[in-house]
Amino acid sequence: MRPGAISLNVADLDRQRAFYEETIGLRELDSSDGAVRLGAAGTPVVELVEARSASPRPPRTSGLFHLAVLVPSRRDLAASLCRAARSGWSFVGAADHFVSEALYLDDPEGNGIEIYRDRPREEWRYRDGAPEIATLPLDVQGLAGELREGDAREDGVPDGTKLGHVHLNVGDLGDAGAFYHGMLGLDKVREYPGVLFLSSSGYHHHLGLNTWAGEGAPPPPEGALGLRRFELVVDGEEELDEIERRLRQGGAEVERDGRGLELADPSGNRVLLRAGRPPVASG
């Protein structure tokens, strides 16, 4: 199970599309009336759906903490740093997480974004059999030193760029963990005060959950700006059928159509489960 793409309700589609193209480096894959999908080399990362009359997401509600765009290499991360600077956009943070190096910024409507690169797995630190995740200062000067002429390429982020993980605000970490671990089958990787990381296949995290918007944070109004839904991709229809069986046995309200299974987690965050091909193994 791994992230597919994320869908956002946005008030100003043109401005948001320009940001994700010029500052993040994604490219339009397809569009329809009031919606556009952007990604890299045919791989969708973000869908923007125009919702001009939607209300803003209120503070201290559940929803998106950040979406995380994974680039293939440290040099690509340096190019992302340069691209954002050239577009006039400022980062709100940067961190060394042991397993990865990350840059943080917000889009024009306040949706959090992480752009990161993974260190090779043989360089990860482990404790109690699981990857150790920390937050230390990033060597930004050293990162910038990776740049070569033309790296902040005009054609955007390189092939292999994808949605690496999604991080959500939830109202109750226990309920959310029971849903994503107990019902969907993601593995618990690390838990710290107020935050839980889950993944599959030994990855450091495909999903982050936190209660930093407040314990018991309620969902935003239906259709509010921000997170519309995000995808989790499973390996084939048989696995999807098994997950549907567990969900229905557990009393979950599940909608199934040609795309897959859609439902809300206990904090109201909507997730679309769909079948896909197993990913190509990588470091």
Side-chain angles (χ1 to χ4, degrees):
M1 189 177 291
R2 60 201 181 277
I6 190 166
S7 182
L8 304 176
N9 288 325
V10 301
D12 189 331
L13 181 60
D14 290 340
R15 187 184 185 201
Q16 289 286 82
R17 171 168 38 195
F19 169 84
Y20 280 94
E21 289 180 333
E22 297 166 11
T23 301
I24 305 301
L26 302 178
R27 288 292 173 259
E28 181 178 324
L29 302 179
D30 57 69
S31 62
S32 58
D33 186 26
V36 61
R37 289 200 312 165
L38 303 108
T43 299
V45 175
V46 176
E47 178 188 47
L48 306 174
V49 179
E50 191 166 43
R52 289 185 177 273
S53 61
S55 60
R57 174 189 167 190
R60 301 188 69 76
T61 56
S62 61
L64 181 66
F65 183 66
H66 65 236
L67 62 94
V69 179
L70 174 61
V71 296
S73 71
R74 193 170 199 246
R75 188 170 167 181
D76 296 320
L77 185 63
S80 294
L81 174 68
C82 181
R83 183 181 297 108
R86 286 181 178 177
S87 75
W89 212 259
S90 298
F91 288 94
V92 298
D96 182 335
H97 294 303
F98 288 166
V99 292
S100 63
E101 293 180 302
L103 303 168
Y104 296 91
L105 68 166
D106 294 334
D107 76 14
E109 296 188 6
N111 297 295
I113 301 170
E114 175 182 346
I115 308 173
Y116 75 109
R117 72 99 182 183
D118 280 332
R119 285 191 167 92
R121 289 203 184 198
E122 58 267 22
E123 296 180 12
W124 292 5
R125 305 182 186 192
Y126 286 81
R127 179 169 58 84
D128 300 328
E132 184 70 27
I133 303 171
T135 300
L136 301 173
L138 178 67
D139 178 8
V140 177
Q141 185 174 355
L143 176 65
E146 297 281 339
L147 283 172
R148 302 294 182 268
E149 186 175 353
D151 274 353
R153 59 192 97 188
E154 294 300 320
D155 56 343
V157 292
D159 294 3
T161 299
K162 61 185 177 181
L163 187 69
H165 65 265
V166 175
H167 198 145
L168 302 173
N169 295 119
V170 299
D172 186 282
L173 212 56
D175 290 346
F179 175 81
Y180 288 105
H181 171 63
M183 297 186 76
L184 297 193
L186 286 168
D187 299 322
K188 291 184 178 182
V189 179
R190 286 286 174 208
E191 185 167 1
Y192 303 99
V195 63
L196 173 64
F197 296 113
L198 305 102
S199 78
S200 64
S201 303
Y203 193 60
H204 53 76
H205 69 298
H206 289 119
L207 184 66
L209 307 171
N210 73 64
T211 54
W212 299 334
E215 294 282 350
E222 186 174 354
L225 297 177
L227 180 65
R228 182 182 179 89
R229 65 172 173 263
F230 71 99
E231 295 177 351
L232 289 174
V233 183
V234 303
D235 294 340
E237 292 290 343
E238 290 187 5
E239 179 66 17
L240 190 65
D241 291 342
E242 172 60 24
I243 292 173
E244 181 179 17
R245 183 191 64 78
R246 288 203 306 268
L247 288 168
R248 294 193 185 280
Q249 284 186 343
E253 296 183 10
V254 183
E255 301 170 14
R256 183 157 193 169
D257 59 22
R259 299 169 304 159
L261 308 173
E262 186 168 346
L263 71 163
D265 73 12
S267 295
N269 299 303
R270 297 200 67 82
V271 54
L272 174 66
L273 298 157
R274 64 175 180 85
R277 297 178 179 177
V280 176
S282 67

